[in-house]
Amino acid sequence: MADNTTLPAQVTVIGHPLVRHKLTLLRQVGTATSEFRRLAREISLLMAYELTRDLPIELTEIETPLEVMQAPILAGKKLCIVSILRAGNGIADGMLELLPSARVGHVGLFRDHETLRPVEYYRKLPEDIGDRLVIVVDPMLATGHSAAAALALLKQAGATQLRFACLLAAPEGLEVLTRAHPDVPVFTCAVDRQLDERGYIRPGLGDAGDRLYGTK
């Protein structure tokens, strides 16, 4: 694993014991598709808690069964979760359990296995994305090129408040992403050792999309 003390300041490793425990179960080769999907959803919900701990609040007047009071509620427009297809949906679904009112956008990117560069094939975003906090999700930050490309597309679409969340990151991917977007906070559950010659994270957990949807 990478030494977290050497990570860029914008990178947060979520070290909650429940996250670490569930991630270990998620990594195991014998974890069935249904269990993998459930664990990914549970970890994502816990990640959403960490990503949103500084959301702005305001006071509103409510009436309890006993009296009227000033109570805190979220301020401003609801946030937006943007999934990098297809594997990002496994993270977005978990976050939506905690944030059911969030808007959802999708960016379709696939990795060219020769160049390891992203190729866009789909994009659908809320029209007012520039007014919302946008959480971009993808289970794996490997080479970092897809995440960097997705963030660039969102900035072009008007997004100004961006955060990126993943289950696992490689040092190489973090370097690419933080260099391309030094203004975007990055949240991950672990930083693994390195990429292999195929661009897979080691020790990693395999192909997140295939394991989420049972396609391999």
Side-chain angles (χ1 to χ4, degrees), residues 33 36-37 84-90 138-140 167 200 205-216:
T33 298
F36 189 95
R37 197 176 295 147
I84 300 179
L85 298 174
R86 64 178 167 154
N89 285 351
D138 197 3
M140 314 294 280
L167 298 178
Y200 281 86
L205 51 77
D207 186 296
D210 285 338
R211 297 196 68 186
L212 277 165
Y213 301 114
T215 50
K216 185 178 288 188

Side-chain angles (χ1 to χ4, degrees), residues 94-159:
M95 290 190 175
L96 285 170
E97 291 190 20
L98 185 66
L99 306 165
S101 298
R103 301 296 188 267
V104 180
H106 296 90
V107 174
L109 297 167
F110 67 86
R111 184 171 61 172
D112 185 301
H113 289 289
E114 295 297 325
T115 66
L116 301 183
R117 294 286 179 172
V119 179
E120 181 187 356
Y121 65 89
Y122 183 79
R123 189 192 320 183
K124 186 69 173 180
L125 305 169
E127 292 183 357
D128 60 350
I129 196 168
D131 299 326
R132 301 178 185 275
L133 170 62
V134 180
I135 299 174
V136 183
V137 296
D138 197 3
M140 314 294 280
L141 180 64
T143 65
H145 297 307
S146 293
L151 290 171
L153 292 172
L154 290 166
K155 288 179 177 180
Q156 291 170 11

